Amino acid sequence: MRHSLIASLFALLSLGAGAARAQDALRDQAKGLFEPIPKTAPALADNPATPEKLALGKMLYFEPRLSDSRTFACATCHNLSMGGVDGGALSSGAAQLAGREVQTVFNAVFNKSQYWDGRAGDLKDQVVNSVMANPKAMLKTRGGPMAINPSELAATKQREIEQLRTISGYGDLFKKAFPGEAEPLVYDNIGRAIAVFEATLITPDAPFDRWLTGDDAALSDDQKAGLKLFIDKGCSGCHNGVNVGGKSYAKFGVIANPGPEHLPAEDAGRYAVTKNIADRYVFKVPSLRNVELTAPYFHTGSTFDLGKAVNVMAESQLGVKLSDDETTKIVAFLKSLTGKQPEIMLPILPPRER
Amino acid sequence: MRHSLIASLFALLSLGAGAARAQDALRDQAKGLFEPIPKTAPALADNPATPEKLALGKMLYFEPRLSDSRTFACATCHNLSMGGVDGGALSSGAAQLAGREVQTVFNAVFNKSQYWDGRAGDLKDQVVNSVMANPKAMLKTRGGPMAINPSELAATKQREIEQLRTISGYGDLFKKAFPGEAEPLVYDNIGRAIAVFEATLITPDAPFDRWLTGDDAALSDDQKAGLKLFIDKGCSGCHNGVNVGGKSYAKFGVIANPGPEHLPAEDAGRYAVTKNIADRYVFKVPSLRNVELTAPYFHTGSTFDLGKAVNVMAESQLGVKLSDDETTKIVAFLKSLTGKQPEIMLPILPPRER
């Protein structure tokens, strides 16, 4: 009996050592695929983040008077209380209108491009492209800019500048944020300032990142098993890098068509940007950072169920049918991608005078 | 020459003493009419502010999923970055629609009643009465609840509860905020929690309050002269107390009709609440706290010009024609009513699951 006890202890110890080795191997593999979100905001090319520009950018992000109706700010749809999205506020009926689900502003600075179709190269371009048209247009056309013709876009940019000029407090703030410019209150500078603020909207310290950098206890066993499945089944083929996605484009339905609920025929994705038939139904691979906070899923916002979204992706992109247990573990892993949400003190905006 | 120098010094000293006496007299008079905003939030009757209720109330204040469209929160129109108002976002066309300008949530806890017509007795009633109907209704009917019939109101209350139930994170938060209640997630508790948060939205330390409590230098000479005019001309007959208004009702146009631009015939004010013909065109006297931040003015939002608003009031309510100099000084005084704006850290809201 004493011998068998010692044998059991040895077995347990070697099991522990085996698990530790397996975890180290998984971490090595993961380090080759992913990177943690950095703790500090990255610098933007040709757009240094001075304190004045950052403060102005934050104000403009919360500024409803940038919209024609003076009601919608960046923060309305990219809500910093709600994972940087609108929680599917308008997703019902989105598909019919060729509109698309809002993408999160959190960690967007790490994406290769902006929008589901990548039509904006960086954050500043996204802002400059963005149109906060009148609320009716916003409510009818989830796609925003895509659904609005270029002349309307131009007119609205001009209106935004005119509206900001009714708030004399902004004059000085633009001068200080863009020193030495003869006319700093221009549309491009709105984009630059907001981009600098948006670059600070990053979510470090997710359990996955803590695990990746050596904290063994940061992930549960289910989450580690989910990570292994995420890699082994092929999810990480596209969803990799610092944002676990966001760095490439892929056809939705490469193996099997996910059906019109998730992929309606009328929204051909990146094709609208490139006019290349190879880009029909190609979309930017979304980041999975904070994915538990950013339902509903897909460009159509067609499901709030993360497990269902995982299954649709496995079947349509990889030709894989996951077991319930596998889905549960992958979802557990995905929930480990929720980082520390930015702490945002509301800015005080200057009053409008006319 | 030496004698005349001494005489001049005496004259200056007695002038200084005279000014000091005049200031003391003005302060004594002002203390009889006004009170400073307290530095801490007042307690609400039968609605104690536990930390849990306060945290929940803040979340609900920023919660767009309380509206049918899941887009509008309390904070959308009572914007805490903009003096607690919407900056006249929708004021164009408001008069035709019998809608009214948004009133500030800041210091609203000190008002005798809520809304321009006083139809809600307190903050909780205001929330419970408030309907965040679908955005189209919001955009069309500035008056909100008044313009929506009771059956729609009831249905919408039910929808709000149903929508909150799609966010399981709220279950626990309501339980902790309302301990011992069998079903804490009810509409009245939404009102109680939001009211407790709103009671914290006060703006102490305005220059006027600092002067009132003894800091001679907190007001400029123009501001002191403006305060004296504000009292002597009769403005403080209605605009008095801690909120410099907000504690009584008055007919708009008691001496002279301000004209349809400011007082359109179709909005008879408090008459709609009391059905008493004496209340036709009677409105709650608005607080003038932070008035420089809450343009446009009047229930119609008919002007952004504070000087013009002062002149309209002087003529229609007091039968007084102010000189430009008098108007300038009264406006200077009114700007001394801007207090320290609340510092608000954005809450993090739980995700919706279906």
Side-chain angles (χ1 to χ4, degrees), chain A residues 59 121 150 154 200 216 220 223 239 242 294 313 334 339:
Chain A
M59 292 170 77
T200 69
D216 288 347
S220 69
Q223 289 177 318
H239 291 283
V242 66
T294 61
M313 288 308 283
L334 292 176

Side-chain angles (χ1 to χ4, degrees), chain B residues 45-66:
Chain B
D46 304 321
N47 190 10
T50 62
E52 292 79 8
K53 201 193 286 175
L54 188 54
L56 174 62
K58 184 180 180 183
M59 292 170 78
L60 294 173
Y61 190 86
F62 283 94
E63 182 51 88
R65 293 162 296 191
L66 272 182

Side-chain angles (χ1 to χ4, degrees), chain B:
Chain B
M1 184 172 157
R2 197 173 153 206
H3 277 275
S4 72
L5 193 69
I6 288 168
S8 298
L9 273 170
F10 261 96
L12 270 171
L13 280 171
S14 63
L15 187 72
R21 271 197 304 275
Q23 172 161 254
D24 290 345
L26 181 62
R27 184 180 281 130
D28 285 345
Q29 195 179 8
K31 278 185 171 173
L33 289 165
F34 310 105
E35 280 172 67
I37 297 278
K39 308 240 184 203
T40 54
L44 301 181
D46 304 321
N47 190 10
T50 62
E52 292 79 8
K53 201 193 286 175
L54 188 54
L56 174 62
K58 184 180 180 183
M59 292 170 78
L60 294 173
Y61 190 86
F62 283 94
E63 182 51 88
R65 293 162 296 191
L66 272 182
S67 65
D68 184 42
S69 68
R70 297 186 168 93
T71 304
F72 293 93
C74 306
T76 306
C77 297
H78 301 279
N79 190 326
L80 306 186
S81 295
M82 290 167 53
V85 296
D86 70 349
L90 302 169
S91 59
S92 58
Q96 305 95 291
L97 294 159
R100 296 181 189 139
E101 199 48 42
V102 167
Q103 293 197 292
T104 180
V105 68
F106 290 163
N107 310 307
V109 65
F110 301 122
N111 287 340
K112 172 200 180 79
S113 60
Q114 305 301 324
Y115 294 114
W116 280 101
D117 55 18
R119 69 185 179 279
D122 61 17
L123 293 174
K124 182 232 161 199
D125 284 353
Q126 194 275 334
V127 174
V128 169
N129 268 282
S130 167
V131 175
M132 297 156 209
N134 72 68
K136 273 182 214 152
M138 284 285 287
L139 296 176
K140 277 196 201 141
T141 63
R142 292 305 308 291
M146 297 236 21
I148 290 166
N149 71 47
S151 68
E152 191 174 348
L153 184 73
T156 300
K157 277 186 192 178
Q158 191 48 40
R159 273 202 300 277
E160 290 184 22
I161 297 293
E162 281 162 16
Q163 287 186 185
L164 281 194
R165 291 216 170 105
T166 66
I167 305 164
S168 67
Y170 275 119
D172 243 29
L173 294 166
F174 273 86
K175 266 184 208 153
K176 283 173 183 160
F178 299 97
E181 296 190 18
E183 180 41 74
L185 206 175
V186 294
Y187 203 80
D188 261 12
N189 284 346
I190 295 174
R192 285 188 189 97
I194 292 176
V196 157
F197 171 64
E198 289 182 341
T200 69
L201 300 175
I202 58 179
T203 64
D205 287 322
F208 175 64
D209 288 355
R210 296 203 311 271
W211 179 85
L212 200 62
T213 51
D215 178 359
D216 288 347
L219 295 190
S220 69
D221 287 345
D222 267 10
Q223 289 177 319
K224 287 171 202 167
L227 166 61
K228 193 161 171 19
L229 286 163
F230 188 82
I231 297 170
D232 291 349
K233 297 287 181 186
C235 312
S236 62
C238 291
H239 291 283
N240 54 38
V242 65
N243 259 359
V244 195
K247 53 184 263 191
S248 60
Y249 299 98
K251 183 172 174 168
F252 190 12
V254 64
I255 303 289
N257 188 330
E261 177 190 2
H262 306 300
L263 183 64
E266 60 271 27
D267 186 353
R270 193 160 165 74
Y271 170 72
V273 179
T274 64
K275 301 296 174 198
N276 181 341
I277 55 165
D279 284 333
R280 282 172 63 83
Y281 305 110
V282 164
F283 295 87
K284 193 180 60 184
V285 175
S287 166
L288 297 179
R289 290 281 179 186
N290 305 295
V291 69
E292 74 169 317
L293 306 179
T294 61
Y297 304 110
F298 304 131
H299 65 287
T300 40
S302 47
T303 182
F304 279 82
D305 183 334
L306 186 51
K308 184 175 173 186
V310 166
N311 290 338
V312 168
M313 287 308 284
E315 286 172 38
S316 61
Q317 304 304 97
L318 304 166
V320 167
K321 177 94 183 82
L322 299 171
S323 72
D324 286 354
D325 181 62
E326 287 171 332
T327 304
T328 302
K329 283 172 173 157
I330 291 175
V331 167
F333 159 64
L334 292 176
K335 291 187 176 179
S336 81
L337 297 173
T338 304
K340 190 171 173 299
Q341 302 297 292
E343 292 186 350
I344 305 290
M345 186 74 83
L346 270 185
I348 302 295
L349 304 177
R352 172 181 162 197
E353 284 113 4
R354 54 188 164 89

Side-chain angles (χ1 to χ4, degrees), chain A residues 197-213:
Chain A
F197 171 64
E198 288 182 341
T200 69
L201 300 175
I202 59 178
T203 64
D205 287 322
F208 175 63
D209 288 355
R210 297 203 310 271
W211 179 84
L212 200 62
T213 51

